[in-house]
Amino acid sequence: LNSDFQSNSWARRNHKSTFQRLSQKHPFLCVGLPFLLAVVGGSFVLLPGQATKYEVRDKHVRNVTLDEAKGEKRKFNLQEEYFRMQSQGAWGEWEPKRVDRPAEEEPVFDRYDK
């Protein structure tokens, strides 16, 4: 039975497709080149959408001119600021106080006190 099977001419032939033969001889053409084309082509396809995204965001951000920015601020003078804070009162009554914190679940610092 085995000898009959090998004697057939169609069984001895190599039945590889054209793509299989081409991919064995030149793997870059069948795998690498389509991958690179997909990456580069995808970047060109996504480029207009990305540009639109940034254009829409730029419309929402209001451009402020230099004169408008300067007009909203007042000049800072250290001496004037000091006197302004003194006039608000209670300058000399200030003292540092520790803020109460919630108790820790595990007393971390107790083991170092021993």
Side-chain angles (χ1 to χ4, degrees):
L1 183 68
N2 201 6
S3 63
D4 291 336
F5 182 72
Q6 290 177 352
S7 65
N8 291 335
S9 63
W10 59 269
R12 284 180 280 154
R13 257 191 251 147
N14 191 1
H15 287 289
K16 289 186 177 178
S17 69
T18 308
F19 179 76
Q20 286 175 335
R21 278 186 262 129
L22 185 64
S23 66
Q24 283 182 348
K25 288 182 183 179
H26 308 286
F28 178 76
L29 291 177
C30 296
V31 178
L33 191 62
F35 176 73
L36 289 177
L37 289 176
V39 169
V40 172
S43 70
F44 282 111
V45 168
L46 294 175
L47 192 64
Q50 195 75 353
T52 305
K53 171 185 157 185
Y54 288 117
E55 288 172 4
V56 168
R57 190 171 65 173
D58 285 344
K59 286 180 183 179
H60 291 290
V61 176
R62 186 175 154 267
N63 290 333
V64 178
T65 63
L66 187 60
D67 294 333
E68 289 176 355
K70 282 185 179 179
E72 294 174 7
K73 280 189 169 181
R74 64 179 178 90
K75 255 189 167 176
F76 180 78
N77 187 348
L78 188 61
Q79 190 175 10
E80 288 178 11
E81 195 69 23
Y82 173 75
F83 289 130
R84 187 181 65 82
M85 290 177 70
Q86 254 188 349
S87 67
Q88 289 177 355
W91 184 262
E93 298 173 11
W94 180 84
E95 65 180 52
K97 291 183 181 178
R98 184 177 175 93
V99 178
D100 291 332
R101 290 185 279 180
E104 297 177 358
E105 293 176 14
E106 179 183 333
V108 178
F109 295 109
D110 287 348
R111 62 180 163 203
Y112 296 116
D113 291 338
K114 293 178 183 178

